[in-house]
Amino acid sequence: MPVGAVPTDAAPIDAALIAAVRQTSANQARVMGWTDVGGIAPGRRANLVVLDPSLRVREVLA
């Protein structure tokens, strides 16, 4: 494991899923002109959705 890497139990994520997440988060926030949502960073509100391995919503953290 590279220095600084964080071990996780997360499953690999394919490019299609990453694109879908961007289309429903950062891209939509940008279109709406919202600067405090759409990503995870200091100063932004943490609106997160927890999915199970079948991509069903298990929890929403807002």
Side-chain angles (χ1 to χ4, degrees), residues 21-33:
V21 169
R22 284 188 183 134
Q23 290 173 351
T24 59
S25 60
N27 291 349
Q28 294 303 314
R30 187 172 46 255
V31 166
M32 297 300 293

Side-chain angles (χ1 to χ4, degrees), residues 2-50:
V3 174
V6 177
T8 69
D9 291 332
I13 300 175
D14 66 35
L17 179 57
I18 292 171
V21 169
R22 284 188 183 134
Q23 290 173 351
T24 59
S25 60
N27 291 349
Q28 294 303 314
R30 187 172 46 255
V31 166
M32 297 300 293
W34 299 332
T35 59
D36 62 337
V37 295
I40 301 171
R44 290 189 174 190
R45 291 184 288 147
N47 299 318
L48 305 173
V49 176
V50 179

